[in-house]
């Protein structure tokens, strides 16, 4: 079984290769027993190696390894609020970041469920107000929002998405990014978002095994 360090290195390289983030932006975290492994500051996700990870305590205390990303508190707050989840992915992916910058963004319903997979993998997208990158004042807002949603959108910044493991978190983040792209492409045109009944019926089919999971 692949250990948490190898998982982070593999997914970090994948995030960079898929251009879901740029430069030295974006960070990942995994709950590993009583510790949290997080990507370090100042290193491109495309260059992350298993030995380079920062080790934090459950309260965010730096225990070992290089200095963690300055946004480590986002991951710690998310994992603390969601003991049922184990991993967090944060990127500055283009279409999601663009969505977060819209002046007229409906913060109660920021992105319509244009596809069934968005409804299944994201469900509710919660918009948080703007905080400067690295500002720990965002901790309380993330903790509160995470209690009702595993997918957050930081204003003028980008998405923070948690999952049962890194692959699940990345799948959800990619679905968010894809739906945001479709949203912008169809902007100015009438769209037909899926209804709650359509989404519920699809979720039931997946749960019953009548539709394979994507």
């Amino acid at each position: 079984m692949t250990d948490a360090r190898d998982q982070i290195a593999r997914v970090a390289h994948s995030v960079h290769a898929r251009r879901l983030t740029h430069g030295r932006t974006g960070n990942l975290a995994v709950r590993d027993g009583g510790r949290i492994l997080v990507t370090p500051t100042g290193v491109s996700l495309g260059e992350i190696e298993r030995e380079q990870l920062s080790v934090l305590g459950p309260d965010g205390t730096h225990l070992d390894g290089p200095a963690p990303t300055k946004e480590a508190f986002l991951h710690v707050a998310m994992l603390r609020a969601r003991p049922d989840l184990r991993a967090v992915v944060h990127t500055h992916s283009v279409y999601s970041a663009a969505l977060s910058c819209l002046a007229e963004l409906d913060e109660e319903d920021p992105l319509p469920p244009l596809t069934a997979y968005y409804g299944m993998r994201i469900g509710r997208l919660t918009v948080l107000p703007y905080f400067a990158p690295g500002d720990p004042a965002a901790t309380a807002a993330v903790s509160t929002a995470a209690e009702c949603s595993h997918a957050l959108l930081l204003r003028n910044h980008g998405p923070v998405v948690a999952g049962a493991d890194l692959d699940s978190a990345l799948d959800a983040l990619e679905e968010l990014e894809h739906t945001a792209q479709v949203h912008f492409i169809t902007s100015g045109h009438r769209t037909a978002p899926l209804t709650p009944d359509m989404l519920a019926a699809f979720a039931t089919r997946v749960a019953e095994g009548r539709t394979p999971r994507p």
Side-chain angles (χ1 to χ4, degrees):
M1 182 177 179
T2 305
D3 71 12
R5 287 180 175 271
D6 286 336
Q7 290 172 25
I8 291 177
R10 173 178 57 80
V11 172
H13 296 167
S14 179
V15 166
H16 188 267
R18 299 186 206 190
R19 299 184 179 180
L20 290 170
T21 198
H22 65 281
R24 291 181 289 182
T25 65
N27 28 79
L28 316 175
V30 170
R31 194 197 313 272
D32 185 34
R35 311 175 307 166
I36 297 173
L37 302 179
V38 64
T39 48
T41 188
V43 181
S44 166
L45 291 185
E47 299 174 353
I48 291 292
E49 301 296 340
R50 56 169 285 128
E51 296 81 11
Q52 293 177 301
L53 302 179
S54 304
V55 182
L56 309 180
D59 62 351
T61 302
H62 183 203
L63 302 178
D64 195 15
T69 169
K70 64 178 177 293
E71 295 175 322
F73 67 90
L74 296 175
H75 302 274
V76 172
M78 193 78 156
L79 293 173
R80 183 185 298 155
R82 296 298 298 266
D84 56 318
L85 301 179
R86 198 172 154 256
V88 182
V89 178
H90 167 52
T91 67
H92 298 177
S93 40
V94 174
Y95 289 95
S96 299
L99 183 72
S100 78
C101 296
L102 293 180
E104 298 179 0
L105 181 66
D106 181 350
E107 297 191 356
E108 295 301 316
D109 187 21
L111 198 56
L114 297 173
T115 69
Y117 290 134
Y118 175 82
M120 182 178 72
R121 286 176 168 160
I122 296 297
R124 177 177 179 179
L125 177 63
T126 301
V127 179
L128 272 64
Y130 172 75
F131 293 93
D135 184 354
T139 301
V142 170
S143 296
T144 299
E147 292 178 359
C148 59
S149 177
H150 71 287
L152 313 180
L153 185 65
L154 306 178
R155 267 295 204 171
N156 300 88
H157 193 159
V160 180
V161 181
D165 52 41
L166 268 181
D167 288 318
S168 298
L170 180 56
D171 283 347
L173 184 137
E174 283 196 285
E175 200 64 49
L176 170 56
E177 177 68 1
H178 172 73
T179 304
Q181 182 178 7
V182 172
H183 175 65
F184 280 107
I185 290 172
T186 58
S187 180
H189 301 276
R190 294 184 63 191
T191 58
L194 300 182
T195 66
D197 287 344
M198 289 175 177
L199 293 171
F202 178 72
T204 299
R205 290 183 65 87
V206 172
E208 294 176 350
R210 289 184 288 148
T211 297
R213 290 185 178 276

